[in-house]
Amino acid sequence: MASSYELPPTKPGRRRPITSSLSEALLEYLPFPAMIVDAPAERIILSNRRAAELTAYTRAELADLSLQTIFPAWQMPLPLPPSESGPDAHPLILQEMARHRQPRLGVQLLVTALPSSDGQALLIIEPNQLAGQGGLSNLRLPNLWDSLQSLIGLANSGDYEANLLAVLQAGFQLCGAQTLAVYQTQQDSPRLLRCASLGDAQHLPEELPAQELISLRKAHHWVKGKRPATDLQRAARAAGLAWLSTAPLGQPNALVGLIIMADQVALPAETAQAVTKLLATAVTSILDAQALAEKQLVEGEALQTRLSALTAVQENLGEGILQIDQRLRIVQTNPTVEAMLGYASREAIGQPFENILIGSANLAPAIQAALQGSPTYGHSPSDDSGSSETPVDLHLYRRNGDAFLALVRIFPVRNQERIDRVLVFIQDLSEQEQIRSRAQELEQRALLGEVTAIFAHEVRNPINNISTGLQWMALNLPETDSNQEAIVRMLQDCDRLAELIKSVLAYSRPMDYEMTSLDIGALLRMLLERLQPRISRLQIQCDLHIKPDCPPILGNLRALEQVFSNLITNALQAMTPQGGHLALKVQPAAVAPEGAYVEVAVADTGPGIPTEIQERIFQPFYTTQSGGTGLGLAIAKRIVTAHKGSLRLESFPGGTVFYVRLPVAPDTEN
């Protein structure tokens, strides 16, 4: 948005010293011969092209030349008038100038001390024949170097609009132009907008067509009475201005705007154009600095985003990460490695890595190799000297001394051509090792189950033959024969073996059932009626509670009959011979994420199951009853699992409760 300000009074102030290279560049923009001199030594330090042309010496020849060589009658006015002084402190000095192989020339000189320059001064030269023709009198010399130094420092300031106004203020201080403005191209429009102005700029247009920048791609100076060629010049003529000077902003092949100066009082074209170019150079520097700052800001934000993402990845990665410097000390850790090894970050940072990374293999050679640029993709306990293309595992030790299987990978961190950090990635493989061991165990169990099923089928026929032979022997021997008792015992053993083989086959065969909608309450009533004679004989009180709103379940009648028959039988055996109380309760269970369930609780008042046995009670062939096969509960759990249900127990001294949870039939779910 354009800004317009009244011309404020010039305020003197201290300025920073100007370097030789910048002074030399600025000297070239002055519209008259000028030098920078060492006042105490009375020697020339720098000179511009105009001074070289006037003296007929080259600029190289003028450098470090004595002032008396150029001005034979020279006497340095000491102390030098400061640049912050008023006009009266800068009197003109009349001198005769000796030129190289040229006639001498009468000139007038103006000497001004440079602020904070340790005795350096600005020397401006004007031939006598040009005096009064708009030379030195056209510039406000007391503010000259203040203005130039201000222009130099603007590129380092971050306030873009303030910088532009400072450039325009410097232009006013240099030549007194009453109208100054800056136009800049827009990314979303082909037009130029007035982005800063000083003085009376209301008669200038707020925006210009892009064609204006093409027409004024070089410095132009229009004076009153000359035919205007552009919109700006036509606006200047309409406003009654005496002159208008313009200079493009940016690089020759990438122009980004215009700067203009104008006034109602005539000014030599050479002076106006020189100051306009000087201001254009300053504004271009400001624009370049702003573009660079914006680019750095964007790159900084992108870098910050990348750093934030990397930090988030590092803090949430499942692998532990350590950074190790060239001194082989830990400089950074992530939370995963803290939990993995047991060392807090503040404890690990600054420590030699071998104090924290303690393992079954020496990691030092791999870390040294990474500092030389060779990564290690996996470390082998048997290979302490190098890396391998396939990851190899080793054991690391936690702070408490526990060992765990780990995969360690080591990579160099390159900073251009230098490697100053090493990244160590640690993956805890203990859980994978447990899964692998469990998979191997399940595979072995599956193989064992297959062999057991084959063995049971092969043994069942010989047992039947033995049982048949024993029965035939019992029939052919007298009842009083002493062998009858042995035959009875062997027949009982055959029956027991047959029952065991039947259970083994039931456990080993696949659990694939045809499911239907069942009334679990009716099934339990049928089982209790069947077992009622035994329950009465054992003097056991039995209760069955069924919630009225209990829905049917989805299951297989014969399979579930086997489950609950086994649970009730176990409960009766647990309460023998003293009797007790058997309770069965059927009720809807809470709706789980997987669906609705019905829960059946089978409780007895037996002695209870010890805690150390409870975890093994569902394992095959584990039993606490003499003569038991140890497969009843194992088979029951497999059947319930095949029904997508669950079987668990709660036991305490004086009782045990088995909870069977079965899914509700789909057409009855709410």
Side-chain angles (χ1 to χ4, degrees):
M1 184 174 181
S3 302
S4 180
Y5 296 88
E6 294 299 324
L7 292 174
T10 302
K11 294 183 180 181
R14 296 182 61 84
R15 304 294 181 179
R16 292 173 293 180
I18 303 177
T19 63
S20 297
S21 59
L22 290 175
S23 299
E24 185 175 7
L26 289 172
L27 285 178
E28 289 303 311
Y29 285 102
L30 296 180
F32 34 69
M35 299 177 180
I36 294 178
V37 300
D38 183 345
E42 297 188 349
R43 305 192 72 84
I44 300 172
I45 299 175
L46 294 172
S47 59
N48 64 3
R49 175 180 53 81
R50 298 175 188 274
E53 292 175 352
L54 185 63
T55 62
Y57 285 94
T58 65
R59 296 172 65 182
E61 291 172 337
L62 287 173
D64 205 34
L65 196 65
S66 170
L67 281 172
Q68 281 78 9
T69 304
I70 304 298
F71 307 105
W74 171 262
Q75 288 186 351
M76 178 64 70
L78 293 175
L80 293 173
S83 63
E84 293 86 351
S85 319
D88 296 339
H90 300 76
L92 295 177
I93 303 173
L94 300 177
Q95 284 281 322
E96 189 175 64
M97 184 178 69
R99 298 189 294 171
H100 183 59
R101 298 179 182 177
Q102 296 286 339
R104 292 191 176 190
L105 182 67
V107 296
Q108 53 185 2
L109 307 177
L110 188 143
V111 182
T112 305
L114 302 184
S116 304
S117 61
D118 195 20
Q120 294 183 7
L122 171 66
L123 180 65
I124 298 176
I125 310 168
E126 184 178 54
N128 288 337
Q129 64 267 28
L130 298 180
Q133 299 182 15
L136 292 176
S137 59
N138 290 318
L139 292 180
R140 301 183 177 186
L141 294 177
N143 300 321
L144 176 62
W145 276 98
D146 283 349
S147 300
L148 295 180
Q149 291 183 84
S150 297
L151 296 179
I152 293 172
L154 289 178
N156 299 322
S157 173
D159 192 338
Y160 169 66
E161 292 187 358
N163 288 345
L164 291 182
L165 290 175
V167 170
L168 300 182
Q169 176 67 35
F172 166 72
Q173 291 176 333
L174 287 172
C175 66
Q178 296 297 313
T179 300
L180 301 98
V182 175
Y183 289 84
Q184 192 174 357
T185 58
Q186 305 298 308
Q187 292 182 350
D188 55 351
S189 172
R191 308 180 70 82
L192 288 82
L193 296 182
R194 193 174 71 202
C195 56
S197 63
L198 193 67
D200 186 14
Q202 299 303 317
H203 48 267
L204 297 177
E206 286 284 345
E207 60 180 40
L208 297 171
Q211 182 63 33
E212 195 85 352
L213 186 59
I214 299 175
S215 302
L216 300 175
R217 61 183 178 273
K218 294 183 180 180
H220 279 262
H221 184 76
W222 173 86
V223 294
K224 187 176 182 180
K226 185 178 179 181
R227 182 177 180 179
T230 67
D231 289 352
L232 271 176
Q233 294 173 0
R234 282 187 283 272
R237 183 179 66 175
L241 297 175
W243 59 273
L244 182 141
S245 184
T246 64
L249 304 177
Q251 305 305 320
N253 56 346
L255 299 180
V256 295
L258 289 170
I259 186 168
I260 70 156
M261 290 199 312
D263 200 4
Q264 295 177 344
V265 179
L267 186 72
E270 186 179 19
T271 300
Q273 286 185 314
V275 175
T276 306
K277 290 179 181 179
L278 176 63
L279 300 183
T281 301
V283 173
T284 298
S285 298
I286 293 172
L287 297 179
D288 290 344
Q290 183 198 24
L292 179 60
E294 291 177 351
K295 180 181 178 182
Q296 290 175 339
L297 179 61
V298 172
E299 292 177 350
E301 290 177 349
L303 181 59
Q304 183 61 43
T305 301
R306 291 180 59 189
L307 289 176
S308 300
L310 288 175
T311 300
V313 169
Q314 179 174 312
E315 292 182 352
N316 297 282
L317 191 66
E319 294 188 39
I321 304 176
L322 295 97
Q323 289 189 33
I324 299 175
D325 62 14
Q326 290 184 332
R327 300 180 302 157
L328 302 183
R329 292 184 178 271
I330 297 174
V331 294
Q332 189 175 355
T333 64
N334 72 336
T336 303
V337 84
E338 293 181 20
M340 191 180 295
L341 298 178
Y343 295 93
S345 177
R346 64 178 182 277
E347 297 174 315
I349 291 176
Q351 291 288 331
F353 81 91
E354 60 267 18
N355 291 355
I356 306 298
L357 283 180
I358 304 172
S360 58
N362 183 14
L363 296 173
I367 292 177
Q368 291 285 5
L371 287 172
Q372 301 301 319
S374 299
T376 299
Y377 298 97
H379 196 275
S380 169
S382 60
D383 180 10
D384 291 342
S385 61
S387 61
S388 58
E389 291 299 330
T390 57
V392 184
D393 308 333
L394 76 156
H395 285 84
L396 294 177
Y397 294 95
R398 308 185 199 275
R399 185 174 190 168
N400 60 7
D402 294 342
F404 66 97
L405 187 66
L407 171 63
V408 178
R409 293 171 294 168
I410 305 172
F411 300 96
V413 178
R414 298 183 183 275
N415 183 5
Q416 296 180 351
E417 298 298 325
R418 188 179 73 258
I419 298 175
D420 53 6
R421 294 283 178 91
V422 168
L423 284 181
V424 179
F425 291 83
I426 305 173
Q427 184 178 358
D428 188 347
L429 300 179
S430 54
E431 184 177 352
Q432 297 182 20
E433 185 180 26
Q434 293 175 0
I435 294 174
R436 185 166 57 249
S437 300
R438 181 62 177 165
Q440 292 176 352
E441 181 182 351
L442 292 175
E443 185 178 354
Q444 292 173 356
R445 284 191 177 187
L447 180 60
L448 179 60
E450 184 178 350
V451 172
T452 301
I454 296 173
F455 176 78
H457 279 290
E458 294 296 328
V459 171
R460 184 164 54 177
N461 290 334
I463 290 176
N464 290 336
N465 293 336
I466 293 172
S467 178
T468 301
L470 289 172
Q471 293 175 26
W472 182 83
M473 290 174 61
L475 290 174
N476 287 279
L477 289 175
E479 293 183 2
T480 59
D481 193 303
S482 60
N483 291 317
Q484 286 287 3
E485 185 178 351
I487 291 173
V488 170
R489 287 198 304 270
M490 287 189 288
L491 283 172
Q492 290 175 348
D493 288 339
C494 286
D495 291 340
R496 183 170 177 273
L497 284 173
E499 186 65 26
L500 179 60
I501 290 173
K502 179 180 177 182
S503 299
V504 168
L505 289 174
Y507 183 78
S508 61
R509 72 168 58 98
M511 297 289 182
D512 189 12
Y513 301 109
E514 181 180 351
M515 304 292 187
T516 59
S517 179
L518 296 178
D519 184 349
I520 193 68
L523 173 60
L524 295 176
R525 289 192 193 96
M526 179 192 68
L527 287 175
L528 292 177
E529 289 176 2
R530 184 186 303 171
L531 295 171
Q532 186 59 42
R534 183 179 177 185
I535 294 173
S536 300
R537 186 175 67 253
L538 295 175
Q539 298 180 354
I540 293 175
Q541 182 182 355
C542 181
D543 294 317
L544 174 62
H545 301 279
I546 302 174
K547 285 290 186 71
D549 57 346
C550 190
I553 59 98
L554 183 66
N556 181 272
L557 177 62
R558 297 304 175 193
L560 294 179
E561 181 181 344
Q562 183 179 359
V563 170
F564 291 107
S565 177
N566 184 280
L567 294 177
I568 295 172
T569 299
N570 286 349
L572 297 177
Q573 291 176 351
M575 293 183 287
T576 303
Q578 72 274 12
H581 191 105
L582 174 66
L584 289 86
K585 184 177 182 180
V586 182
Q587 62 182 353
V591 177
E594 298 82 6
Y597 287 83
V598 170
E599 185 176 76
V600 180
V602 181
D604 64 67
T605 57
I609 302 173
T611 304
E612 63 272 12
I613 296 177
Q614 292 180 19
E615 295 182 358
R616 305 174 58 189
I617 200 73
F618 295 109
Q619 293 181 2
F621 303 106
Y622 183 81
T623 181
T624 58
Q625 300 177 5
S626 60
T629 63
L631 288 172
L633 287 177
I635 293 174
K637 188 172 182 64
R638 287 197 66 197
I639 292 173
V640 173
T641 302
H643 279 71
K644 298 182 180 179
S646 63
L647 173 59
R648 64 183 179 89
L649 71 91
E650 290 181 2
S651 187
F652 43 86
T656 300
V657 183
F658 282 88
Y659 296 94
V660 181
R661 182 170 288 191
L662 297 167
V664 171
D667 56 347
T668 60
E669 291 187 33
N670 294 328

